[in-house]
């Protein structure tokens, strides 16, 4: 199994997910949006898999700092994709893939059980 965690290293939710994976002994690769950017092919796959609505973090600081016109313009997959490529911090974090399939967007207690099942833990 090949696990990739996508996110930003200083994000508390990403830190929590990485710590949990480390504690479970799960090997993973970390993809830092800030250094490596958002891979367009993966973003397209995520949008197709979980939907753009799940990926856009409307609760985060980045979203709240956008002007109203920019927020109002996010109405479909294409507009959300453009924003996520421009401002990676607006993507809900982390996105965790297992063998190329999204198994988790965000990380909380409810998602731990699903992630454990996907990882066979």
């Amino acid at each position: 199994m090949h696990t990739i965690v996508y996110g930003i290293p200083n994000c508390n939710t990403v830190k929590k997910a990485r710590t949990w994976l480390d504690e479970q002994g799960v090997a993973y690769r970390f993809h830092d949006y800030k250094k490596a950017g958002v891979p367009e092919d993966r973003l397209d796959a995520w949008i197709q898999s979980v939907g753009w609505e799940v990926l856009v973090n409307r609760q985060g600081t980045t979203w709240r700092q956008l002007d109203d016109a920019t927020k109002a313009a996010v109405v479909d997959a294409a507009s959300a994709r453009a924003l996520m490529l421009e401002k990676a911090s607006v993507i809900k974090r982390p996105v965790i893939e297992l063998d190329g399939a999204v198994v988790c967007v965000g990380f909380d207690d409810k998602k731990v059980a699903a992630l454990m099942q996907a990882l066979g833990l």
Side-chain angles (χ1 to χ4, degrees):
M1 290 192 296
H2 186 68
T3 305
I4 303 175
V5 177
Y6 295 87
I8 298 169
N10 63 347
C11 170
N12 288 335
T13 308
V14 170
K15 288 178 186 177
K16 182 178 175 183
R18 293 179 73 187
T19 298
W20 183 86
L21 289 167
D22 290 340
E23 289 171 351
Q24 303 307 311
V26 175
Y28 63 90
R29 181 171 63 86
F30 179 67
H31 180 99
D32 183 346
Y33 293 149
K34 294 289 188 184
K35 290 183 181 174
V38 177
E40 290 188 46
D41 64 324
R42 300 315 315 138
L43 181 59
D44 293 339
W46 302 339
I47 290 169
Q48 186 173 6
S49 175
V50 300
W52 66 270
E53 299 91 339
V54 171
L55 293 167
V56 175
N57 183 3
R58 295 175 188 261
Q59 307 301 317
T61 303
T62 302
W63 177 265
R64 290 192 307 263
Q65 291 175 344
L66 296 173
D67 61 71
D68 290 340
T70 301
K71 291 178 189 177
V74 178
V75 295
D76 57 17
S79 57
R81 180 184 187 275
L83 177 64
M84 289 185 278
L85 287 173
E86 180 184 340
K87 297 189 179 293
S89 297
V90 81
I91 300 173
K92 189 173 215 171
R93 303 177 298 270
V95 175
I96 302 176
E97 286 186 339
L98 178 62
D99 295 332
V102 175
V103 293
C104 190
V105 177
F107 192 80
D108 59 27
D109 294 339
K110 294 177 199 169
K111 294 184 180 175
V112 169
L115 186 54
M116 287 181 74
Q117 183 177 6
L119 294 170
L121 300 175

